[in-house]
Amino acid sequence: MSNKVKFALLLICTIFSVVTIIKLFNLSEDIIHYHNRFVRRFPQHVAQEIHQTDLTYNSYYFAGIGEGKIYLGNYTAPLQMTVLDSTLKEKKIYHIELKEKNLPFQAPQIRVLGDHFFVFEGIVPYIFKGNISNWKASLRINSGYHFSHLEPMDSVNMAIRYMTPKSGESLIGTLNLADTTKVSYDAKLLQKQFDGIFDTDGSLLFNKQFNRIVYVYRYRNEFIVADPILNLDYRGNTIDTISRAQVRLAQLKNNSMKTFAEPPLIVNKTTAVDGNLLYVNSLLPGLYESENIWKIASIVDVYDLTDKTYRSSFPIYHIAGKKMKGMLVSGNLLYALIGEKIVCYKLLEHLSQDRAVRDYAHSIH
């Protein structure tokens, strides 16, 4: 056999081997994405803790992030704003002053976006708007539909989850604080399965980089991406297979209201969005996963909003037996509220890059 023939055979074998490896890798991707939705991939050391501080109390929630600052609201001190720097070392506390004080305040919440902050309560309803330069706010809305969620899209436009007057069913809508006649909603974005209230419960987010509303269902494996005027971009799915909310309801005695007949199966708990990535704290274990990891950590699944794919998963470990109750992501930093602690994690490079995990996997082989 001549050297040329040997070289040709060697070249053919090499090409065949490379093609086979690529096909096997792509097949494994397809299996994870389509054939077995409970199989997670866990790259090592995705979230590395770099900062932590003690907040003393466990009643804080994330109100916003921007310009190197983390804004925390407090359920037990509803008009108090705690501001931390990105390293969690510097802390300042501000007290919000509302110009109108004769409203039936019950449980106000706060959101911060840019130089503005918003104080609101959907059950009344009301929305205050102010500037973080002095933390003073004036009343902008004190009428209209009741609502259960609000996320500012800019200084005047709000994404809102409304409650319809008669049935109480949820609707995704928008509100313009500069012109209260500009109220819009779309009854088709949230899809009712049996009652339109419990079965459509979920997390309302706004992706400022992509200028998109994102809604993640709590009891089923679905999320929604829509533009600011409520045109649906697409419906995506999380990797589990719970497509129908597993919720049983019971009628309260001498009351038209309903409650849970038994604890519901929660699919997606805490969520966050940043850039092209959606972060979902799932409560459902996947195949081949150790029970031990679920006893000591919260699992976060990462999805790419640009191509609707699942990227990977990583654990956020409990602290003193307490689970993560909220998270916020900015670039390659993830902030988590765990018990009385706030923790900052640095995320692995590929999570913050604008390319699919498949491309990243190819680049490291």
Side-chain angles (χ1 to χ4, degrees):
M1 186 180 293
S2 68
N3 290 335
K4 288 185 178 180
V5 173
K6 290 181 179 179
F7 178 76
L9 289 173
L10 181 62
L11 181 62
I12 292 171
C13 290
T14 302
I15 293 173
F16 179 78
S17 299
V18 170
V19 171
T20 300
I21 291 172
I22 292 174
K23 285 184 175 293
L24 287 172
F25 182 86
N26 290 337
L27 178 61
S28 69
E29 290 282 297
D30 290 339
I31 290 173
I32 289 175
H33 287 164
Y34 307 110
H35 302 162
N36 194 337
R37 300 188 181 223
F38 279 104
V39 177
R40 288 186 171 92
R41 58 166 71 90
F42 286 95
Q44 292 186 349
H45 313 302
V46 171
Q48 300 177 4
E49 180 180 332
I50 56 175
H51 306 296
Q52 181 183 137
T53 193
D54 192 338
L55 297 171
T56 306
Y57 303 105
N58 64 356
S59 52
Y60 289 94
Y61 63 90
F62 288 115
I65 188 170
E67 301 299 325
K69 293 181 172 60
I70 314 300
Y71 298 92
L72 300 177
N74 192 324
Y75 290 116
T76 59
L79 296 182
Q80 175 181 292
M81 175 56 60
T82 300
V83 183
L84 299 166
D85 73 330
S86 59
T87 65
L88 309 180
K89 294 179 181 178
E90 297 181 9
K91 180 171 73 171
K92 294 182 179 179
I93 298 176
Y94 301 93
H95 296 279
I96 294 173
E97 179 182 330
L98 303 179
K99 293 184 178 179
E100 292 79 5
K101 298 181 173 65
N102 59 347
L103 293 172
F105 298 103
Q106 296 182 34
Q109 288 195 47
I110 308 166
R111 293 291 184 272
V112 180
L113 182 65
D115 294 332
H116 299 94
F117 72 93
F118 307 87
V119 180
F120 60 91
E121 193 170 355
I123 202 66
V124 178
Y126 63 77
I127 303 175
F128 287 80
K129 178 184 174 182
N131 196 287
I132 62 174
S133 62
N134 58 15
W135 295 101
K136 295 180 180 180
S138 58
L139 186 64
R140 296 301 178 93
I141 298 291
N142 187 25
S143 62
Y145 278 6
H146 294 268
F147 59 90
S148 51
H149 281 280
L150 178 149
E151 287 296 329
M153 298 187 288
D154 55 40
S155 61
V156 294
N157 291 294
M158 309 289 114
I160 291 179
R161 190 179 77 181
Y162 285 110
M163 301 160 60
T164 54
K166 293 183 179 180
S167 66
E169 294 182 12
S170 297
L171 300 171
I172 298 297
T174 61
L175 175 66
N176 187 303
L177 298 183
D179 184 355
T180 56
T181 63
K182 293 184 178 179
V183 177
S184 302
Y185 61 87
D186 190 319
K188 296 181 180 179
L189 281 179
L190 295 184
Q191 293 183 321
K192 173 181 174 179
Q193 291 186 333
F194 51 83
D195 77 334
I197 303 173
F198 293 96
D199 62 345
T200 56
D201 192 16
S203 303
L204 177 64
L205 307 166
F206 184 71
N207 186 326
K208 61 183 179 181
Q209 293 95 338
F210 282 11
N211 197 33
R212 286 296 183 268
I213 297 169
V214 179
Y215 190 85
V216 184
Y217 285 109
R218 186 173 177 83
Y219 302 115
R220 59 177 118 156
N221 66 341
E222 186 178 328
F223 60 89
I224 301 164
V225 179
D227 67 20
I229 57 174
L230 305 178
N231 293 315
L232 177 68
D233 282 352
Y234 66 87
R235 300 181 188 277
N237 292 106
T238 52
I239 57 175
D240 61 89
T241 57
I242 308 299
S243 59
R244 185 171 180 81
Q246 297 185 19
V247 176
R248 290 186 62 233
L249 302 176
Q251 193 85 33
L252 294 175
K253 293 182 178 180
N254 303 320
N255 198 314
S256 60
M257 297 180 64
K258 293 182 179 180
T259 187
F260 293 119
E262 59 186 24
L265 178 65
I266 298 174
V267 177
N268 305 309
K269 186 184 176 184
T270 304
T271 60
V273 67
D274 183 72
N276 61 311
L277 300 181
L278 173 65
Y279 301 80
V280 179
N281 171 207
S282 173
L283 295 193
L284 298 183
L287 288 174
Y288 317 121
E289 294 173 16
S290 169
E291 293 182 6
N292 292 330
I293 190 67
W294 287 86
K295 294 177 181 178
I296 61 173
S298 299
I299 304 302
V300 178
D301 299 326
V302 185
Y303 302 90
D304 192 325
L305 294 176
T306 58
D307 58 12
K308 312 177 194 178
T309 57
Y310 162 70
R311 281 200 169 192
S312 58
S313 302
F314 59 88
I316 296 294
Y317 291 97
H318 305 338
I319 297 177
K322 296 177 181 178
K323 302 178 182 179
M324 178 179 70
K325 62 177 181 177
M327 63 179 170
L328 197 63
V329 179
S330 179
N332 67 338
L333 299 179
L334 182 148
Y335 295 89
L337 290 169
I338 307 174
E340 298 82 21
K341 311 287 186 181
I342 180 171
V343 186
C344 177
Y345 302 87
K346 184 177 180 180
L347 298 176
L348 191 69
E349 182 187 24
H350 84 265
L351 288 179
S352 60
Q353 291 179 334
D354 294 328
R355 55 178 172 160
V357 70
R358 179 179 297 183
D359 297 334
Y360 179 78
H362 282 158
S363 73
I364 62 175
H365 286 289

